[in-house]
Amino acid sequence: EAQVTQNPRYLITVTGKKLTVTCSQNMNHEYMSWYRQDPGLGLRQIYYSMNVEVTDKGDVPEGYKVSRKEKRNFPLILESPSPNQTSLYFCASSLTGYNSPLHFGNGTRLTVT
Amino acid sequence: TQLLEQSPQFLSIQEGENLTVYCNSSSVFSSLQWYRQEPGEGPVLLVTVVTGGEVKKLKRLTFQFGDARKDSSLHITAAQPGDTGLYLCAGSSGTYKYIFGTGTRLKVLA
């Protein structure tokens, strides 16, 4: 089954403790992206990747890192999480990233205390 | 900064009623997509429109892309409880960035 898999689904952590949210897709998509969803603000793009080893900042990249060492994986790293990073995070992939539809994972709800 | 404004933000209607959701921007997009999101899940694509003036139908849902490719609408005919969810529009300007609207939360009452 074609899908985007994120782990974990729920994560509670403390300020400053490094964490990684994993994302994997099995559709051989070139493009992958991370979003955060907050009430009243909609989905905002954090980082995206056009291909292996090629990444770029979205609209809200501060406090986040990404890497794309393999085509199927695109982990999101929070080196020193802060409470304002409490949010619902989505990973998405698409065939080209250029006018092509996004396929989303089921989300990771992160709480930073 | 490109922005997509959706209206209304919330909509609660009775089963069988019609409704329209709007997605507006001052920017031109090369394509626009509509997604529906249900609680606990990621958004799921409904449709992509790419040509100014384009109209697409998906059963009881009709999508239109504005002539100038700055706006779009989603019309639902005879809404059903199964249509309940968060509707999101997303614009692509062909630069690998997707801009999402803030969403319209629809509740259809039986």
Side-chain angles (χ1 to χ4, degrees), chain A residues 94-110:
Chain A
S94 77
L95 188 61
T96 63
Y98 188 95
N99 295 337
S100 62
L102 292 164
H103 299 258
F104 284 86
N106 279 334
T108 296
R109 186 167 291 282
L110 172 65

Side-chain angles (χ1 to χ4, degrees), chain B:
Chain B
T1 304
Q2 292 178 305
L3 291 173
L4 270 171
E5 294 188 8
Q6 278 186 247
S7 61
Q9 284 190 29
F10 302 95
L11 196 52
S12 181
I13 61 172
Q14 292 293 132
E15 182 177 3
E17 292 184 10
N18 301 334
L19 66 113
T20 302
V21 176
Y22 299 93
C23 178
N24 294 300
S25 176
S26 58
S27 303
V28 175
F29 293 101
S30 53
S31 71
L32 198 136
Q33 297 160 2
W34 284 92
Y35 295 82
R36 184 169 76 198
Q37 184 180 12
E38 301 192 28
E41 299 180 9
V44 175
L45 180 75
L46 295 172
V47 78
T48 300
V49 286
V50 296
T51 305
E54 182 176 5
V55 177
K56 279 193 175 179
K57 291 193 175 185
L58 186 66
K59 296 183 182 177
R60 294 173 295 98
L61 278 59
T62 301
F63 305 86
Q64 184 160 10
F65 202 11
D67 290 341
R69 289 185 286 129
K70 293 183 179 180
D71 55 86
S72 180
S73 63
L74 157 60
H75 182 79
I76 301 179
T77 303
Q80 299 177 0
D83 295 326
T84 293
L86 177 67
Y87 289 81
L88 297 161
C89 61
S92 171
S93 55
T95 60
Y96 297 106
K97 282 192 175 185
Y98 290 81
I99 307 298
F100 278 82
T102 49
T104 295
R105 195 167 294 280
L106 171 65
K107 187 169 186 177
V108 182
L109 305 168

Side-chain angles (χ1 to χ4, degrees), chain A residues 4-70:
Chain A
V4 177
T5 304
Q6 288 178 236
N7 281 298
R9 288 295 305 272
Y10 301 92
L11 181 56
I12 302 173
T13 190
V14 295
T15 298
K17 187 176 181 181
K18 180 179 178 179
L19 66 92
T20 299
V21 184
T22 64
C23 176
S24 180
Q25 52 94 5
N26 63 359
M27 295 169 278
N28 202 36
H29 283 170
E30 303 281 333
Y31 180 92
M32 297 185 75
S33 184
W34 277 101
Y35 299 84
R36 59 179 289 174
Q37 186 173 35
D38 301 289
L41 297 176
L43 279 159
R44 294 179 293 167
Q45 193 169 35
I46 303 171
Y47 268 97
Y48 58 95
S49 170
M50 299 81 90
N51 213 325
V52 175
E53 302 290 4
V54 183
T55 64
D56 205 350
K57 296 177 181 178
D59 293 320
V60 289
E62 295 77 22
Y64 305 95
K65 281 177 59 177
V66 293
S67 68
R68 187 96 180 271
K69 294 185 169 56
E70 306 168 279

